[in-house]
Amino acid sequence: MIEIHNLKKSFGNLDVLRKVNFSVAPGEVVAVIGPSGSGKSTMLRSLIHLEEVTGGSIRIQGEALVEDGKYATPAKIKSITSRMGMVFQHFNLFPHLTVQDNLELAPKTVKKENAAEIRRRSEELLAKVGLADKANAYPANLSGGQKQRVAIARALMMKPEILLFDEPTSALDPELTGEVLRVIKQLAEENMTMIIVTHEMNFARDVADRVIFMDNGEIAEEGTPEQIFGNPQLERTKSFLSRVEIMG
């Protein structure tokens, strides 16, 4: 589904990404962990063209978004990125729209879909994330966990084949984190292809098929959750994991 080859990103003399290489198979859930400033979010945002890379290649389902640092045409970029949905740390809901209108805006304006079909899907997805009773509420009246579940439902409205999550629980109180992680776990069980940048180590261990540890703009180590959390090979992986809390 996703192939990344020698991805580089620099801001002036600062290398944010250094020759990042990995691929994601259909239905695979990849968790990306690592210290702040290691390039995790930049890498994720570059997949959906929210960041322009300095070099390297990104292929989505075999089609090049960028090849050796040269980007596809704007129309091609739009076509490729439309297959992906992204859920951000801070929800990014429109405050002046109801929950249902937040979900329905993009399918109406971007895909020009049938209104009855859009309504059917928005109701179905709100029920899926446990918020059927909040269709007419405004974001200001929701908890952080509810807002993030709306954001996930909104991403799913566009029928993405790949979902990207950038620290989806880092803005939430601990007691609200579980309700969001449950929704993501359900998507994993339904074989949605996902890349999740997260600081929730227990969640990464329980849900991911593979864990990537990034440090200093590069992939330092990757493997199954059992390998990374149970038997990390590198000192910097061990050092990072010793500083974060992993239960049981």
Side-chain angles (χ1 to χ4, degrees):
M1 288 290 260
I2 301 170
E3 299 166 86
I4 294 176
H5 183 65
N6 279 347
L7 206 62
K8 300 188 197 75
K9 169 75 175 177
S10 304
F11 293 108
N13 295 327
L14 177 66
D15 293 331
V16 184
L17 297 175
R18 310 160 187 255
K19 292 198 172 179
V20 172
N21 291 279
F22 73 97
S23 59
V24 181
E28 190 177 19
V29 179
V30 176
V32 184
I33 64 171
S36 295
S38 57
K40 307 183 300 294
S41 291
T42 302
M43 181 274 294
L44 196 71
R45 290 167 64 86
S46 67
L47 294 182
I48 202 161
H49 198 232
L50 291 173
E51 295 276 1
E52 289 217 346
V53 296
T54 316
S57 304
I58 298 170
R59 288 181 165 269
I60 306 296
Q61 296 172 308
E63 293 192 72
L65 178 72
V66 56
E67 190 81 56
D68 294 328
K70 188 175 187 326
Y71 274 91
T73 63
K76 190 73 172 168
I77 289 170
K78 189 175 177 184
S79 162
I80 292 171
T81 56
S82 71
R83 299 170 213 164
M84 294 180 273
M86 185 149 178
V87 178
F88 299 89
Q89 186 175 340
H90 292 294
F91 330 126
N92 293 7
L93 299 178
F94 293 108
H96 62 290
L97 298 180
T98 65
V99 164
Q100 195 151 42
D101 289 341
N102 263 283
L103 264 65
E104 295 179 0
L105 181 65
K108 277 177 185 166
T109 55
V110 178
K111 290 199 167 178
K112 309 280 195 292
E113 287 184 58
N114 172 282
E117 161 61 16
I118 292 172
R119 178 54 49 95
R120 182 197 64 74
R121 201 156 77 246
S122 69
E123 288 173 350
E124 190 179 281
L125 286 170
L126 285 176
K128 183 187 183 85
V129 300
L131 293 171
D133 60 332
K134 299 293 184 188
N136 296 313
Y138 285 88
N141 299 321
L142 302 179
S143 71
Q146 289 170 331
K147 287 177 191 170
Q148 194 59 293
R149 284 185 284 154
V150 171
I152 293 170
R154 181 176 64 176
L156 290 170
M157 281 295 288
M158 298 298 276
K159 302 181 189 169
E161 294 172 60
I162 298 164
L163 265 185
L164 309 174
F165 291 88
D166 189 10
E167 299 272 17
T169 60
S170 65
L172 303 180
D173 295 332
E175 66 268 22
L176 300 176
T177 294
E179 63 192 51
V180 174
L181 297 183
R182 273 193 297 278
V183 171
I184 300 174
K185 194 166 188 174
Q186 184 186 345
L187 293 171
E189 288 162 1
E190 294 168 6
N191 289 322
M192 171 65 81
T193 305
M194 296 190 280
I195 301 179
I196 306 166
V197 170
T198 183
H199 64 286
E200 296 282 341
M201 298 302 136
N202 300 307
F203 175 66
R205 185 184 61 184
D206 293 346
V207 172
D209 300 302
R210 186 154 46 106
V211 177
I212 288 174
F213 170 63
M214 285 187 73
D215 188 28
N216 201 24
E218 59 190 8
I219 294 177
E221 189 168 351
E222 66 177 298
T224 64
E226 294 75 23
Q227 288 169 326
I228 297 297
F229 295 115
N231 187 27
Q233 300 302 300
L234 297 183
E235 276 309 317
R236 56 180 171 166
T237 315
K238 291 176 187 170
S239 170
F240 170 74
L241 292 173
S242 72
R243 295 195 302 272
V244 295
E245 189 179 347
I246 304 175
M247 315 287 281

